[in-house]
Amino acid sequence: MYVITGASGHTGSVVARTLLERGARVRVVLRDEAKAEAWRQWGAEVALAELHDASALSLAMMGARGAYLLLPPPAPSSTDVLGDRLLMVDAMGKAMRASAVPHFVLLSSMGAQHAEGTGILKTLYLAERELGALGVPMTILRAAYFMENWGTALPPAVEAGVLPSFFGPSDRPIHMVATRDVGEVAARMLLEPALSRRVVELAGPVDYSPDEVADTAARLLGRRVHVVERLPAALVPMLEDLGFSTELAHLMMEMTEGINRGQVFFERPRQLARGRTTLDEVFGGMLRAMKALPHLGFGAEEGSGASH
């Protein structure tokens, strides 16, 4: 039995489905009963628990051979973000001790080896440190920047042929990875457990600069798309206008600055694992979904690429 947190999200859902397809028993941890029936139909057990609730998590993890743990993205209006993440990590640690799960995979990020200067990623540094202190064999899966994060930049590309980017310079490649690859690698790591502490750093098959991201969008859209560079400081007012707390907006800005100056990077880049999903596939899936929005001016024909 493998316990999967975040099964409603991009990576956790892939972990759970991959394990089920391989014949493994899976228990997904959900907060919402309304999402449970679909998982039961796919053959998974369901446990309802909040990630702050150590008792509920302990029950969910009982009898498991392994667990997939993650810290979900904070709600936009969140405050005391670091404190809230530490409460989750503490609950996970208590659940791991109570349930005696022999191995777990923790979703982390490039740059999480640093204690400072990484913005929101500091929460993952804390998670690696605190859960590592349990002494339980663990796999830390440090993922690159998610390709799917570019989804918010696609509507301007469709509507006006511009791709806003807070990464610079625009011709410098950035490590990116598709969430599908993250989920598939995490499932494999659960089936091949570590004996102590293992760090796996994962990027996509190739790296893309913002200019190449724009070229990918242009190729799929059949129109010119050019990058509009913006300073990371411009993230704060933009995110605040979208309902983000000032605290969270500043954490996101600091992470972006860390990527630009090379601090948010892999610890062992020469040992980097590579996924197989390209940006064309990710953008293809996003653009197919966006065609349901009439204001974007798409026709009825289907685009290229794989859906996620």
Side-chain angles (χ1 to χ4, degrees), residues 223-267:
R223 64 166 300 170
R224 183 174 180 272
V225 177
H226 68 277
V227 174
V228 176
E229 291 190 58
R230 296 178 177 174
L231 294 174
L235 263 174
V236 173
M238 186 194 81
L239 291 175
E240 288 176 333
D241 287 345
L242 293 172
F244 281 63
S245 68
T246 299
E247 176 188 352
L248 184 54
H250 277 276
L251 288 171
M252 298 300 290
M253 177 193 72
E254 185 179 332
M255 179 193 72
T256 305
E257 291 175 335
I259 293 174
N260 287 348
R261 67 172 174 266
Q263 182 175 0
V264 175
F265 197 72
F266 289 112
E267 187 174 21

Side-chain angles (χ1 to χ4, degrees), residues 26-27 35-36 42 67 79 84 86 99 109 168 202 211 220 232 293:
V26 171
R27 182 183 297 142
K35 299 178 180 179
W42 288 325
T79 57
D84 182 69
L86 275 175
S99 60
S109 169
L202 177 67
D211 286 339
L220 293 171
L293 302 176

Side-chain angles (χ1 to χ4, degrees), residues 68-111:
Y68 177 67
L69 304 180
L70 56 73
L71 297 178
S77 59
S78 296
T79 57
D80 190 21
V81 175
L82 298 182
D84 182 69
R85 305 289 102 173
L86 275 175
L87 290 175
M88 287 188 188
V89 171
D90 181 66
M92 290 176 183
K94 289 177 179 176
M96 290 293 299
R97 284 192 292 268
S99 60
V101 175
H103 171 254
F104 66 95
V105 174
L106 172 67
L107 177 60
S108 188
S109 169
M110 63 178 184

